[in-house]
Amino acid sequence: MTEEKFEEDKFMKILVNLKDTQESIQGFSGWCIRNKKSAYKMARCWIKVIKKVRIEQKLVLFYLVNDIVQHSAKRGYVELLDKFRSGIKEAMPHLKEEKIGPKVQR
């Protein structure tokens, strides 16, 4: 995806297929931070995807948003933080499932 145009379908497909590796999560987190002007759209897509994917993928998406929030806080990207914080609140019921609950609480 390029920095000029945010494509929701493409972004959501990447979220659905994001691998549970540090490299994959940090790489995509970096892209999200560089494209912070689309923060609202990214957060909305993240919520839509987290509601639909299998349990294991929800954990990967939680790791992604955690990385985005931590790096955004360090850099002072308030808008990105605000958009994803509200998304996290909405997603919490989906992150409390038995299979991933203990890992989320860590």
Side-chain angles (χ1 to χ4, degrees):
M1 291 187 353
T2 63
E3 290 187 36
E4 295 85 38
K5 184 181 176 195
F6 183 82
E7 298 176 40
E8 287 188 23
D9 291 340
K10 194 170 185 179
F11 184 81
M12 289 171 67
K13 186 175 181 179
I14 292 170
L15 291 176
V16 168
N17 295 306
L18 190 65
K19 300 216 181 314
D20 185 13
T21 64
Q22 184 176 359
E23 181 181 341
S24 183
I25 291 167
Q26 287 179 341
F28 195 55
S29 170
W31 182 91
C32 292
I33 292 167
R34 286 188 304 277
N35 290 276
K36 62 188 175 289
K37 59 187 168 214
S38 297
Y40 176 78
K41 291 178 183 176
M42 283 188 261
R44 297 312 320 153
C45 288
W46 183 80
I47 286 293
K48 287 178 191 175
V49 172
I50 211 158
K51 290 177 179 178
K52 295 192 288 186
V53 295
R54 65 190 189 286
I55 295 170
E56 296 81 8
Q57 190 66 13
K58 290 179 186 195
L59 187 59
V60 175
L61 296 177
F62 181 75
Y63 290 156
L64 171 69
V65 83
N66 181 56
D67 199 68
I68 291 169
V69 167
Q70 284 186 17
H71 289 284
S72 296
K74 286 179 189 174
R75 297 175 184 169
Y77 296 154
V78 178
E79 185 177 349
L80 197 57
L81 283 170
D82 290 344
K83 300 303 181 212
F84 275 99
R85 279 186 184 144
S86 63
I88 292 169
K89 288 178 188 175
E90 190 177 334
M92 285 314 289
H94 299 279
L95 298 172
K96 291 183 179 180
E97 297 183 32
E98 235 177 83
K99 195 170 183 179
I100 62 171
K103 290 181 180 180
V104 172
Q105 289 176 346
R106 247 183 343 144

